[in-house]
Amino acid sequence: MLLLAARYSFANAKVRALRARRLTPEDFHFLIQARDLSGFFAYLATTSYQDILSGKNIGGGTSIKSIERSLYAPLFKEYRKIAKALKNPGSRQVILALYSRFEAENLKIILRSIVLGKNRSLVSHLLYPLGSLTRLPWDDLWNCKDPAGLAKVLRGSVFGLAIRHALPQFEAQGRTFPIEVALDLAAFRWLAEATSRLSGKRDKNEARNVLGRYVDILNCLWITRLRLHFNMSPEEIVNYSLPGGMDITLKRLHLLAKSKTTSEFVENIPETMAKKLTMVREWSDFRPAFTSLLLRLLRKVLASFPFHIGVEAGYLLEKELEVQALIATMESKKQKIAPKDIARHVPMELLGEVAHV
Amino acid sequence: MFKAVKLTRVTIQCPEEQISPVMAVLGNMRLLHLIRIEETHLGKLGYVAQVDRKLLDHYDSLLSRTNRLIDGLSPTQPMPSITKIPRPDREIFRLKEVITRIEEKALPVLEKREKTWQEIARDQALLDRLKLLEPAELDFDRLGPLKYATWMTGLIPEENLDRLEESLSDVYHALIPVFRKAGKVVLFAMSLRDDEDVLHRALKSAFWDPIELPGDLKGTIYEVTRRTSKALEGLRIKLSELDQQRKVLGERYGAQLLETREIILLCSQLLRAQKKFGAIDHTYIITGWLPFDLFNELKKRIIEATRGKALIDRVDPEHIREVRAGILKIPILFNNPLLIRPFERLTTLYGTPSYKEVEPTVFLAISFLVLFGMMFGDVGQGALLFATGYYVFRKMFRFMDYGVILMECGVSSMIFGLLYGSVFGFEDLIPALWMHPMRHIDHFMKVSILLGISIISLGFLLNLINLLRQKRYGDLFSASGLAGALFYWLLAGLGIRYIFSENVSPAEILFAKVSAISLFIIMLFQKPVRRLFFHLRKGDKRHRLPKGIGITLFESLIEVLDDILRYMANTVSFVRVAAFGLTHVALFMAVFSLADMVRTAQGQGLSYWLIIVAGNLVIILLEGMVVSIQTLRLEYYEFFSRFFRGGGKPFRPLLGEKAG
């Protein structure tokens, strides 16, 4: 334990300091209650997100989509700070692997723009502002003419081989979907490998507790998404599932993919998770329910034994969920949805009980 | 040599039907710089000729046929040089016939060869696929007729195998890993025919890379592999026979094909040049710059070619209004001897001289070689530079000019090596015909300064010539003109007198003072006075003095002081010649000290000589580069800046660059 304390004390202090800047339930309350989008931004400018809004012509030249992406900028700054605070290479690898999910997202945008022949300037507002932590040669990637070129430039990174393996199906199907899935799988495979390579049993177990459960939840959400939006068969869903889960085995995943109704789906979910999902009746309600589930797990981790990588990873995931909730609120404001309806889509864990309002 | 070739502007008028022979003559003469008719008043009125698109299309198509034959036959003959350009409109018939005849002989062989190549590629790909599947020991006689089962072969990423297995757990299936290769598993997958769709979907989502096999394979995989290998062997023999035939054809027709391509390129270029011509009704007008001496020859040839149906006229530049007004620039055609010509590259790197300027290449070449030799004087290293230059000259066609420069620098270095008595840094092998730089540092410095004064003075002289040729007489009184030159020579003379005799008489000092003050006053007031004259000539009665005369005077003072300071700085700058000459010797001393240390420790063995050789190589590379840069710097900043304004237009002869 002393060893773990020595390894994580600085990073842990950093996380505590950063966490103090997160949005409070009161912040979310006022953001949801804002009269319109400009009111929303006026309040947001009083929070830790104020730096993002400075210099942006909101409602003028700057599009909402590009503001959405820039809301992620603090998250990536914190990725960098935490990665820097971690001196142990194994622990840092876990954070970098977690970060690589966003690199995969940007790679997908480049891939689509290459295949559709779109100019860089047309899609650059869709890119995540990854900051200085990324080591991928982005300018070279933009100069690629086809996915094979991307694979060549990415040779040596986890994504190069993934794209190369997906190329035959990209050519056979004539769409970017196989490569996009391969990029996601590559990032999560790296995460699983980095977790399993951690030294120390406790560190590894705590990391699996956070990241393995996170992957389980994502897999459940993917199943609903692939079924509802992509109309995929169970055998396809199983093959597209993310590696590195904890409680959900391949067999259980297959059962979940075959579930015809929401109740059947809940029945096939492991007991520890299912207890919190018994109220779900609609497929679309799974998302907020799983998000709440994840947030509760993260809160628990952040409040317990502090010296393990699960704290750093957990904090970054919590921050990511905060940004997602913020974006959902902003989008709802843009569509002029009533505050009480917005509140239904923001996890209760973020809203809390604001007594004085 | 000291000025560009004298040019004259030629205008040719000929009827439409005679344009082809005229173009042939122009092509053969080559030394005509066409003026785009669009840039003249005729062009602005819209009298611009059209390119004969139909004929050009014929040439383009013929070029692609010729290129196909050349690519196919890969001739090894040297590139022919075309001395006589034919008439494009007549030549096309002959060229077509030549190419058709060669095509009749060569195309069947080339097509057969191409087909054989494709068959080899196909069989080789099949063989590669079969090799991957060999460990599965497939028997296509048994797999082919299966009615209720379906099978597939391919590769999947190794890490996807478990998920693929699970995804197929609801159907009867078999997944047989054949072997693993670069993170992938070669897989034989089988299921009931009723579940074929499930198998397909599962494989597809597991990133399946199918190994396609033809449907008509018979026998075991070993038998198929054997048959394919044998077929491949037969195809390779056939290919080598066809290669032999191709070689024979290449030897027979190669030279003819290369010559044909050159002619096609030249004719196409001539036809494209038509867009620079003018046309009024059915008459073509061609205008351009030609060396004055070639005019009579051109006139004779065109009259002969058109049987007197063309009019040819010339106007000298000084009689052209646009030239006098500075609207039309006369191109510059250099005229330097063979050994000086490569230095034209260094001149044009700075700028292209204008027609009325002194062409400075010859001065650049001589001073460059002297400065380089002084800084890099060594017989042995000079010989090595010469040898490197010779190699570049012979082997690297594109850098031939630099090869010549390197050879000349080598010779200069050898001459100064003899004067310094240095062979690869050894100063005791030959006697110094002049001095050992390290032993006569003061003398070396003085010589460098003298050389600097000479080069700057030459710059002044060339500038005076330029001013006179360009009729800029007013500038003679400026700091960069005659007044400035006299001032510089006065100070330089005084300095030289002091350096060499250390005794300057009071009368000389008084003369220098009076002259310098007078010249300074002339330089200072020349600009305001010229402005005043201009003002008076304009006849502005309202103001006695032009506006801003005070500022002009102040500007003039600053300019004169700046110019005088620059002359001094430029002269002192030449001390670097001695400095780098001494550095060269100092580097040798360092190498010899190192070698001596090794000799003391190990004796005069291999290590001693290795250090001498490596040291010499380092000096050649490092010092050679530094000296070249410094020499060029002295040329450009200290010498050219005195007189060279540039802004000229290079002469671009017709057919200077190949089309296509």
Side-chain angles (χ1 to χ4, degrees):
Chain A
M1 199 177 98
L2 277 175
L3 200 70
L4 282 176
R7 186 181 290 172
Y8 288 109
S9 54
F10 179 57
N12 194 269
K14 184 94 97 188
V15 165
R16 302 293 157 194
L18 292 172
R19 199 158 181 259
R21 301 179 64 194
R22 72 186 198 273
L23 294 180
T24 61
E26 193 180 73
D27 289 332
F28 267 107
H29 169 79
F30 286 121
L31 287 167
I32 292 168
Q33 291 300 325
R35 198 187 306 164
D36 51 19
L37 206 53
S38 59
F40 173 89
F41 286 123
Y43 186 82
L44 196 62
T46 67
T47 67
S48 57
Y49 289 85
Q50 61 183 355
D51 291 350
I52 295 154
L53 301 174
S54 64
K56 286 216 161 48
N57 181 11
I58 294 161
T62 314
S63 71
I64 293 294
K65 198 77 197 164
S66 75
I67 293 173
E68 255 183 52
R69 286 295 187 246
S70 45
L71 286 175
Y72 278 93
L75 174 67
F76 298 124
K77 266 189 197 160
E78 293 181 8
Y79 262 102
R80 189 173 54 82
K81 283 178 184 167
I82 290 174
K84 214 173 147 192
L86 288 164
K87 299 295 168 214
N88 178 266
S91 315
R92 202 181 309 127
Q93 281 295 308
V94 173
I95 299 301
L96 292 177
L98 203 58
Y99 171 82
S100 73
R101 294 167 305 138
F102 296 99
E103 290 182 317
E105 290 300 322
N106 278 4
L107 286 173
K108 284 184 209 172
I109 289 168
I110 295 179
L111 171 75
R112 284 178 215 151
S113 71
I114 288 172
V115 172
L116 298 173
K118 289 248 162 62
N119 196 283
R120 181 177 184 169
S121 58
L122 290 177
V123 294
S124 54
H125 65 285
L126 300 173
L127 297 169
Y128 286 97
L130 292 173
S132 57
L133 193 57
T134 181
R135 289 284 170 268
L136 297 182
W138 296 103
D139 284 334
D140 294 345
L141 289 165
W142 277 110
N143 290 332
C144 291
K145 298 276 178 282
D146 52 24
L150 282 182
K152 209 170 164 190
V153 174
L154 289 168
R155 193 176 39 205
S157 82
V158 289
F159 301 114
L161 191 66
I163 297 180
R164 222 172 52 234
H165 283 170
L167 279 176
Q169 277 306 317
F170 161 73
E171 274 152 23
Q173 296 178 33
R175 57 181 185 150
T176 56
F177 183 77
I179 299 181
E180 291 181 26
V181 179
L183 287 169
D184 283 328
L185 293 182
F188 278 94
R189 196 166 296 118
W190 182 17
L191 186 62
E193 280 166 14
T195 310
S196 68
R197 273 203 296 265
L198 280 168
S199 57
K201 202 175 167 191
R202 182 150 197 188
D203 206 11
K204 203 181 288 187
N205 285 344
E206 293 286 358
R208 272 180 59 75
N209 181 38
V210 176
L211 298 170
R213 291 226 160 92
Y214 166 61
V215 171
D216 281 344
I217 288 171
L218 277 188
N219 267 333
C220 289
L221 290 171
W222 270 47
I223 291 170
T224 59
R225 198 159 71 99
L226 292 176
R227 273 179 64 98
L228 292 177
H229 299 300
F230 292 89
N231 203 20
M232 281 192 184
S233 63
E235 56 273 11
E236 286 172 294
I237 292 173
V238 170
N239 279 311
Y240 288 142
S241 64
L242 301 171
M246 188 172 172
D247 295 328
I248 300 182
T249 58
L250 272 178
K251 202 162 270 312
R252 197 180 278 274
L253 212 105
H254 199 179
L255 283 173
L256 287 167
K258 286 191 286 187
S259 303
K260 297 265 188 300
T261 60
T262 52
S263 55
E264 196 183 338
F265 187 81
V266 174
E267 268 171 37
N268 288 322
I269 284 178
E271 223 174 288
T272 45
M273 291 161 77
K275 271 191 275 181
K276 315 280 190 305
L277 301 168
T278 45
M279 301 300 285
V280 176
R281 294 285 174 268
E282 296 291 325
W283 287 106
S284 59
D285 290 340
F286 274 115
R287 188 171 187 85
F290 274 119
T291 311
S292 288
L293 195 67
L294 181 60
L295 268 169
R296 275 203 292 277
L297 168 74
L298 298 176
R299 293 269 159 98
K300 206 169 145 190
V301 169
L302 288 164
S304 55
F305 176 71
F307 303 121
H308 56 85
I309 190 66
V311 170
E312 283 72 26
Y315 167 67
L316 290 167
L317 287 176
E318 188 192 45
K319 177 84 182 172
E320 189 180 326
L321 292 173
E322 178 186 284
V323 176
Q324 283 173 4
L326 200 57
I327 291 169
T329 312
M330 188 176 78
E331 283 290 347
S332 308
K333 281 284 151 207
K334 192 183 156 196
Q335 289 166 26
K336 299 187 171 73
I337 296 172
K340 64 176 189 333
D341 293 328
I342 301 174
R344 274 218 299 271
H345 292 282
V346 176
M348 277 308 293
E349 288 66 25
L350 295 175
L351 289 176
E353 296 293 327
V354 186
H356 71 280
V357 183
Chain B
M1 189 161 63
F2 303 114
K3 55 184 193 176
V5 175
K6 190 181 176 191
L7 300 178
T8 186
R9 184 167 149 174
V10 178
T11 304
I12 304 160
Q13 289 181 54
C14 68
E16 193 177 5
E17 65 274 12
Q18 297 295 335
I19 190 66
S20 215
V22 169
M23 283 200 300
V25 172
L26 293 178
N28 280 316
M29 294 279 286
R30 291 182 192 229
L31 274 175
L32 179 78
H33 174 110
L34 276 180
I35 297 172
R36 290 183 76 95
I37 208 79
E38 288 164 2
E39 291 167 6
T40 65
H41 64 278
L42 201 64
K44 288 187 178 97
L45 291 171
Y47 295 111
V48 180
Q50 299 298 315
V51 173
D52 188 343
R53 184 45 60 190
K54 206 172 155 192
L55 187 56
L56 196 60
D57 286 346
H58 279 302
Y59 271 103
D60 285 346
S61 126
L62 205 56
L63 181 66
S64 90
R65 283 165 65 191
T66 314
N67 279 339
R68 188 184 168 199
L69 286 169
I70 289 173
D71 288 346
L73 297 179
S74 311
T76 51
Q77 287 89 342
M79 274 294 190
S81 140
I82 309 300
T83 47
K84 194 170 177 337
I85 312 281
R87 281 177 55 166
D89 58 340
R90 282 169 64 96
E91 187 64 8
I92 187 79
F93 295 100
R94 189 186 73 81
L95 294 173
K96 266 185 187 169
E97 199 175 289
V98 169
I99 294 301
T100 309
R101 191 165 45 81
I102 300 174
E103 276 177 345
E104 277 166 11
K105 301 281 180 199
L107 277 188
V109 175
L110 292 177
E111 278 163 6
K112 258 189 224 165
R113 188 174 172 276
E114 179 63 30
K115 202 175 152 211
T116 311
W117 252 117
Q118 284 168 2
E119 284 171 359
I120 288 174
R122 188 198 59 206
D123 281 8
Q124 188 60 57
L126 176 62
L127 203 61
D128 293 343
R129 292 196 292 268
L130 291 169
K131 283 257 162 31
L132 284 177
L133 293 168
E134 249 179 20
E137 299 183 348
L138 303 177
D139 185 344
F140 297 106
D141 287 341
R142 292 174 66 192
L143 287 169
L146 287 176
K147 264 188 186 175
Y148 301 106
T150 185
W151 59 276
M152 287 166 217
T153 50
L155 298 103
I156 65 159
E158 216 169 341
E159 60 273 9
N160 293 359
L161 195 56
D162 289 346
R163 279 184 294 177
L164 178 64
E165 189 70 62
E166 175 56 40
S167 69
L168 288 168
S169 59
D170 288 348
V171 297
Y172 290 108
H173 73 280
L175 293 178
I176 304 167
V178 179
F179 83 98
R180 285 163 162 78
K181 188 192 171 197
K184 284 194 163 189
V185 184
V186 178
L187 205 64
F188 177 81
M190 208 170 181
S191 76
L192 293 179
R193 200 166 281 280
D194 287 347
D195 297 325
E196 195 173 357
D197 286 347
V198 177
L199 181 67
H200 260 296
R201 280 198 299 269
L203 289 174
K204 192 178 80 177
S205 53
F207 300 102
W208 182 246
D209 180 5
I211 299 174
E212 308 279 3
L213 295 172
D216 56 352
L217 294 179
K218 296 274 177 254
T220 65
I221 193 160
Y222 298 112
E223 287 165 355
V224 178
T225 308
R226 211 168 32 246
R227 278 203 303 272
T228 313
S229 300
K230 207 172 166 189
L232 207 54
E233 215 170 288
L235 285 170
R236 289 211 171 103
I237 292 168
K238 191 176 165 190
L239 184 71
S240 92
E241 285 168 6
L242 288 166
D243 271 343
Q244 194 54 40
Q245 289 180 36
R246 186 179 73 126
K247 198 176 162 199
V248 171
L249 287 166
E251 277 163 12
R252 189 180 300 163
Y253 297 115
Q256 203 174 1
L257 276 171
L258 291 171
E259 190 193 55
T260 306
R261 183 166 67 177
E262 285 301 295
I263 295 173
I264 293 172
L265 287 171
L266 289 171
C267 288
S268 308
Q269 208 179 346
L270 271 180
L271 289 171
R272 284 195 173 87
Q274 275 187 11
K275 64 178 176 228
K276 291 186 178 177
F277 300 171
I280 302 174
D281 295 332
H282 294 287
T283 305
Y284 274 75
I285 299 161
I286 303 164
T287 179
W289 296 103
L290 183 82
F292 183 84
D293 298 343
L294 290 179
F295 175 75
N296 288 335
E297 174 71 15
L298 178 77
K299 190 172 181 179
K300 197 178 119 198
R301 286 206 206 176
I302 284 184
I303 299 291
E304 266 174 25
T306 58
R307 292 191 204 93
K309 286 183 184 163
L311 283 173
I312 177 160
D313 199 7
R314 77 171 169 83
V315 189
D316 290 337
E318 50 270 30
H319 298 128
I320 301 170
R321 196 159 43 92
E322 291 100 320
V323 171
R324 283 202 306 271
I327 300 166
L328 195 64
K329 279 185 180 168
I330 309 166
I332 298 299
L333 180 61
F334 288 105
N335 177 30
N336 287 306
L338 201 68
L339 291 176
I340 302 287
R341 211 170 291 160
F343 286 91
E344 286 169 5
R345 276 177 182 265
L346 299 183
T347 305
T348 49
L349 209 63
Y350 186 87
T352 306
S354 65
Y355 190 70
K356 289 273 182 186
E357 257 183 327
V358 173
E359 203 277 273
T361 307
V362 67
F363 304 108
L364 169 94
I366 294 167
S367 54
F368 187 97
L369 293 173
V370 170
L371 290 170
F372 185 89
M374 269 184 88
M375 288 192 259
F376 201 80
D378 187 278
V379 177
Q381 294 194 340
L384 274 182
L385 277 187
F386 183 87
T388 313
Y390 184 72
Y391 178 81
V392 173
F393 175 71
R394 292 304 300 261
K395 300 283 176 188
M396 300 176 185
F397 181 72
R398 281 178 59 204
F399 303 108
M400 211 161 79
D401 283 349
Y402 293 110
V404 175
I405 293 176
L406 213 53
M407 280 196 283
E408 290 175 331
C409 285
V411 171
S412 169
S413 180
M414 282 194 280
I415 292 170
F416 276 92
L418 286 172
L419 295 174
Y420 297 159
S422 171
V423 183
F424 287 121
F426 292 98
E427 295 197 340
D428 45 6
L429 295 180
I430 53 169
L433 298 179
W434 179 21
M435 61 166 177
H436 288 296
M438 259 323 187
R439 287 176 222 164
H440 302 89
I441 295 176
D442 279 359
H443 183 57
F444 200 14
M445 294 272 187
K446 284 175 190 171
V447 172
S448 300
I449 296 277
L450 272 181
L451 183 68
I453 292 171
S454 315
I455 289 177
I456 292 173
S457 300
L458 178 65
F460 272 120
L461 282 175
L462 295 178
N463 192 43
L464 293 179
I465 296 171
N466 281 345
L467 291 178
L468 294 174
R469 286 179 70 183
Q470 291 162 5
K471 298 192 171 96
R472 287 160 50 210
Y473 303 120
D475 286 343
L476 285 173
F477 300 103
S478 71
S480 58
L482 183 62
L486 289 173
F487 190 89
Y488 177 75
W489 288 327
L490 189 74
L491 292 188
L494 211 61
I496 292 167
R497 178 101 169 87
Y498 179 75
I499 287 169
F500 287 100
S501 67
E502 291 184 6
N503 182 23
V504 186
S505 68
E508 283 170 335
I509 291 177
L510 183 69
F511 171 74
K513 272 184 187 170
V514 173
S515 311
I517 290 169
S518 316
L519 288 167
F520 188 84
I521 291 169
I522 291 173
M523 289 188 285
L524 183 65
F525 287 101
Q526 57 89 21
K527 204 172 175 184
V529 169
R530 274 161 66 194
R531 238 187 118 191
L532 197 64
F533 271 121
F534 182 72
H535 178 75
L536 291 175
R537 208 186 302 164
K538 256 176 56 183
D540 189 350
K541 307 277 183 210
R542 286 174 300 165
H543 303 98
R544 284 187 188 171
L545 288 171
K547 273 185 187 172
I549 192 77
I551 293 288
T552 311
L553 195 64
F554 187 65
E555 270 178 13
S556 192
L557 177 69
I558 301 288
E559 273 173 22
V560 171
L561 288 176
D562 179 54
D563 279 339
I564 291 171
L565 272 177
R566 260 195 298 132
Y567 299 153
M568 300 306 132
N570 289 162
T571 310
V572 174
S573 187
F574 276 88
V575 172
R576 78 184 65 218
V577 177
F580 280 98
L582 292 170
T583 309
H584 193 218
V585 184
L587 281 172
F588 274 129
M589 284 165 72
V591 170
F592 280 111
S593 302
L594 205 64
D596 283 342
M597 279 159 69
V598 171
R599 183 167 53 183
T600 315
Q602 300 174 1
Q604 192 166 341
L606 183 67
S607 308
Y608 173 83
W609 289 108
L610 270 179
I611 287 174
I612 299 286
V613 171
N616 264 285
L617 285 177
V618 169
I619 291 172
I620 290 176
L621 288 175
L622 196 76
E623 182 75 358
M625 195 173 69
V626 172
V627 164
S628 310
I629 293 167
Q630 291 301 330
T631 310
L632 213 54
R633 189 212 171 280
L634 287 171
E635 294 290 349
Y636 286 168
Y637 291 100
E638 266 60 83
F639 181 46
F640 274 12
S641 62
R642 293 272 78 77
F643 67 97
F644 191 6
R645 284 168 181 256
K649 187 173 153 186
F651 188 91
R652 302 249 181 255
L654 185 66
L655 305 183
E657 286 164 14
K658 277 178 193 165

